[in-house]
Amino acid sequence: MDFAFDARTEELRGRLLAFMDAYVYPAEKVADEQRARLASPWDTPAVVEDLKAEARRQGLWNLFLPDAEHGAGLTNLQYAPLAEITGRSPHLAPTALNCAAPDTGNMEVLAQFGTGEQRERWLAPLLAGEIRSAFAMTEPEVASSDATNITTHIRRDGDAYVITGRKWYISGAMNPRCEVFIVMGKTDPEGPDIHRQQSMVLVPRDTPGVEVRRAMTVYGYEDHSHGGHAEVVFDHARVPVTNLVGEEGGGFAIAQARLGPGRIHHCMRLIGMAERAIELMCRRALDRTAFGKPLARQGVVQQWIADARVTVEQLRLLVLKTAWLMDTVGNKGAHTEIQAIKIATPRAVVDILDRAVQLHGAGGVSQDFPLAELWAAARTLRLADGPDEVHQRSLARRELKRYA
């Protein structure tokens, strides 16, 4: 990357790049080997805890959080190149820096909307990397791309809320250290404003009536880095009314506030994934011979590599512009660009990874290279935080309004 960022960002970039070389990349295979020997696949390998301790010692901790009281106090533009670096090892580096979803979004919600008591009980241990959390929004029975469809019911009963519903693909829920869910459901299902029917409540994992029913795979992968993705049932789970996040009817707005930064964080890391793919493509092309000459001299391979480089440079500029707009005019002012990067980045990175898989032949779909797992992660992001089509619909409407 040839961009000149401010002095603090450049200093953090240098330290993070050194951390990746010295600790993260060597730990990738170690983590896999340790996980294979664990009693449960959801337990955390020891090397991950070692990485967290080292990252914290080096001051590479909670970089995602712009709130200087709780995090590093970086702007989106400052964090963007750092998140990109972690994307080169997305299943290890974000966790090592305490910058992994869904905890990042949950910490942002608690920092912005949580009460003092909620911050002390849940935010503090999350910031310290002592516990994990989950965000329970998606449901199997409805099209959750439209959050107004949610059917989970949050009923007021005296000084308590009673939660009933079924969620799935709840990231982080399989991790034994996941101690709390932020659950989105309807407190006013018949309300006239469909965007004020929803609320969010904090539900401790050990609450009676909470059942983590099964792990959901993603293209056959269990995705240990995020603490898995689970189907979770809330069967009349009861929590105090003080567990409400924000205000009743504010769930939809909180979800939008949470998803804005999450979307750009995903896109930042996706660029790092693409950079890793290009590196692997180049090394493979120079290392392998087919039909009498190195793959690097095959015209189609050169075309793949050139197109990948052009695509990554375009995506990076769009993501950096979006980060800058979020910092200067806010998420609403950056609405079009947030939609654009969410559409363009996963789609393009999937294509780059697909070429990298093709270049590696059988190795590309194997466990010997990270490409298959990276491809699955990138392809999933065309659904996560809203499918492509929802963002295209929203962006098109905004464009059309300019000429109506």
Side-chain angles (χ1 to χ4, degrees):
M1 182 189 297
D2 296 323
F3 294 102
F5 292 96
D6 66 278
R8 186 182 182 199
T9 305
E10 290 291 357
E11 190 262 339
L12 285 170
R13 280 190 69 243
R15 285 163 49 195
L16 183 54
L17 287 167
F19 178 78
M20 295 288 290
D21 289 337
Y23 297 98
V24 175
Y25 299 133
E28 289 178 334
K29 287 189 177 181
V30 176
D32 290 339
E33 293 167 356
Q34 289 182 351
R35 184 172 284 111
R37 298 194 296 268
L38 292 172
S40 165
W42 308 110
D43 289 337
T44 303
V47 71
V48 175
E49 294 302 320
D50 294 340
L51 288 173
K52 289 168 63 177
E54 182 61 28
R56 195 164 189 179
R57 188 188 70 79
Q58 294 192 24
L60 300 171
W61 192 254
N62 291 336
L63 300 174
F64 73 96
L65 200 55
D67 184 342
E69 178 185 354
H70 302 299
L74 299 176
T75 65
N76 285 295
L77 187 59
Q78 289 174 313
Y79 180 58
L82 308 178
E84 176 182 326
I85 293 168
T86 67
R88 294 176 62 87
S89 184
H91 301 293
L92 204 55
T95 301
L97 276 58
N98 210 38
C99 293
D103 294 324
T104 49
N106 291 343
M107 286 187 268
E108 288 170 335
V109 166
L110 288 167
Q112 188 172 353
F113 302 101
T115 64
E117 181 182 352
Q118 290 170 353
R119 291 179 185 179
E120 182 179 355
R121 175 67 185 88
W122 302 114
L123 179 58
L126 281 168
L127 288 169
E130 296 168 355
I131 67 170
R132 300 295 300 267
S133 62
F135 184 68
M137 180 172 171
T138 311
E139 298 181 3
E141 304 298 338
V142 297
S144 297
S145 56
D146 178 0
T148 63
N149 280 339
I150 285 173
T151 61
T152 293
H153 193 204
I154 302 174
R155 177 176 58 85
R156 178 75 179 259
D157 182 21
D159 61 355
Y161 285 113
V162 180
I163 302 102
T164 303
R166 178 174 166 233
K167 303 285 189 177
W168 76 340
Y169 280 95
I170 306 309
S171 302
M174 295 304 298
N175 192 307
R177 294 187 181 182
C178 176
E179 293 192 10
V180 65
F181 297 87
I182 298 180
V183 182
M184 183 162 167
K186 289 190 176 180
T187 46
D188 186 16
E190 304 303 323
D193 184 348
I194 61 173
H195 296 110
R196 293 284 302 172
Q197 296 176 349
Q198 307 84 4
S199 300
M200 290 188 188
V201 292
L202 292 160
V203 182
R205 185 194 185 102
D206 60 2
T207 302
V210 176
E211 178 192 0
V212 179
R213 183 163 287 180
R214 60 171 176 156
M216 307 298 302
T217 63
V218 179
Y219 286 105
Y221 291 103
E222 292 178 323
D223 197 0
H224 304 102
S225 60
H226 290 99
H229 308 281
E231 178 184 353
V232 184
V233 174
F234 299 89
D235 184 6
H236 297 87
R238 193 179 187 90
V239 299
V241 293
T242 52
N243 283 26
L244 177 71
V245 180
E247 61 177 3
E248 276 199 16
F252 190 91
I254 293 173
Q256 294 305 305
R258 182 187 187 278
L259 291 173
R263 287 167 180 152
I264 193 170
H265 293 172
H266 282 316
C267 291
M268 294 167 181
R269 287 189 291 266
L270 277 163
I271 294 172
M273 292 164 63
E275 287 286 8
R276 183 102 188 250
I278 292 172
E279 176 188 333
L280 290 168
M281 289 171 72
C282 291
R283 293 186 185 281
R284 185 76 166 187
L286 292 166
D287 198 42
R288 286 292 175 112
T289 298
F291 304 105
K293 59 183 178 181
L295 290 177
R297 291 175 56 197
Q298 305 285 354
V300 68
V301 172
Q302 294 176 348
Q303 179 180 325
W304 289 349
I305 292 170
D307 287 348
R309 172 49 60 203
V310 171
T311 299
V312 166
E313 297 303 323
Q314 292 172 326
L315 292 174
R316 181 181 288 117
L317 285 172
L318 183 54
V319 170
L320 290 174
K321 177 192 176 186
T322 305
W324 173 74
L325 284 172
M326 290 173 70
D327 291 335
T328 54
V329 297
N331 292 4
K332 287 187 177 180
H335 178 274
T336 294
E337 285 74 16
I338 291 174
Q339 304 284 349
I341 62 171
K342 182 60 177 65
I343 296 164
T345 314
R347 189 161 56 189
V349 173
V350 165
D351 185 62
I352 291 171
L353 285 162
D354 194 61
R355 298 298 190 192
V357 167
Q358 194 75 6
L359 185 55
H360 283 72
V365 298
S366 76
Q367 69 271 38
D368 291 348
F369 296 90
L371 291 168
E373 199 166 6
L374 290 175
W375 184 94
R379 180 61 183 86
T380 303
L381 287 173
R382 293 187 63 189
L383 293 168
D385 292 345
D388 292 359
E389 293 75 14
V390 170
H391 295 292
Q392 289 171 315
R393 175 174 176 265
S394 177
L395 195 154
R397 283 180 167 182
R398 183 166 290 242
E399 286 293 304
L400 289 165
K401 281 180 68 175
R402 296 167 56 191
Y403 303 96

